[in-house]
Amino acid sequence: MHLIPPLAHRRAAESVFTASDYTAKMDEDILENIVLLTLVTLLSALQNLFFAQKVEHEGKTHTSRSFLRQGTPAFERVYCANQNCMDAYPTFIAVLWSAGIFCSQAPAAFSGLMYLFVRQKYFVGYMGETSQSTPGYLFGKRIISFLFLMSVVGIANYFLIDYFGSDVKQYIQTLAKASSALLLIP
């Protein structure tokens, strides 16, 4: 029978406890850093479902048989608006998550919510007259550019830390928070 000295036994128990605590704490920290981004992503998925339902409804309402690509001018506008939104969606998701992870979650999530609002405005505007969708398109482009800039600055800060030991993340986050409010100015 091997006897483990009491001190070594306590250290082994403490290290196991500490490792699980560390893992639980790490999981909480990770979730805290992505929860807002996840909410915006889920809201954007719901918005995509809404757009798809509008296309399906318009297609079934104005055609006697089933859902077809060609139809009335109203269907063509709804279908085109949906396609335009879906074309920009992967870019939006990529810059949203990159900006949120590498720079700051709150301004990225705020910008993401604004983008969803603008995308809704674009979709509804495109269903009426295509010229009504132009403000939504331009505003959405500005938000995507802001998220892209946040991503680039956050990644540049990562390399500054890695290669030069200089961390300017606090300054970048403060600047991102202040400038995200400027997106509201038309």
Side-chain angles (χ1 to χ4, degrees):
M1 180 162 140
H2 297 289
L3 293 176
I4 299 175
L7 183 57
H9 180 66
R10 275 186 278 157
R11 284 186 184 160
E14 288 172 3
S15 67
V16 172
F17 180 73
T18 306
S20 65
D21 267 357
Y22 178 74
T23 304
K25 180 68 174 148
M26 186 175 70
D27 291 344
E28 288 176 22
D29 289 344
I30 290 171
L31 289 177
E32 285 177 6
N33 289 330
I34 64 170
V35 68
L36 296 176
L37 300 173
T38 304
L39 286 173
V40 171
T41 303
L42 291 174
L43 285 173
S44 70
L46 284 175
Q47 190 179 47
N48 286 342
L49 289 172
F50 170 75
F51 293 161
Q53 184 180 8
K54 284 288 191 189
V55 171
E56 181 182 3
H57 176 71
E58 195 69 34
K60 286 183 178 179
T61 302
H62 295 291
T63 57
S64 58
R65 285 180 268 152
S66 63
F67 176 71
L68 298 172
R69 166 64 177 94
Q70 287 120 359
T72 64
F75 172 75
E76 290 292 326
R77 285 193 302 272
V78 170
Y79 183 83
C80 189
N82 182 54
Q83 276 307 119
N84 291 344
C85 288
M86 294 308 293
D87 288 345
Y89 188 68
T91 304
F92 164 67
I93 292 296
V95 295
L96 171 73
W97 278 86
S98 297
I101 290 173
F102 285 103
C103 192
S104 184
Q105 177 186 207
F110 175 72
S111 299
L113 286 174
M114 286 180 42
Y115 180 78
L116 295 180
F117 173 75
V118 167
R119 193 167 74 152
Q120 184 74 25
K121 183 175 173 55
Y122 170 81
F123 188 83
V124 171
Y126 207 99
M127 286 176 19
E129 279 295 316
T130 54
S131 62
Q132 293 174 348
S133 66
T134 302
Y137 172 77
L138 295 174
F139 200 54
K141 210 168 88 170
R142 190 164 79 178
I143 293 170
I144 293 285
S145 299
F146 175 72
L147 288 169
F148 178 78
L149 182 64
M150 279 181 65
S151 301
V152 168
V153 169
I155 292 169
N157 184 56
Y158 173 80
F159 285 116
L160 278 173
I161 294 169
D162 200 34
Y163 291 113
F164 301 110
S166 176
D167 186 8
V168 293
K169 189 169 186 170
Q170 289 296 91
Y171 301 113
I172 293 169
Q173 287 178 341
T174 303
L175 187 62
K177 288 174 185 174
S179 59
S180 65
L182 295 176
L183 289 173
L184 294 172
I185 299 172

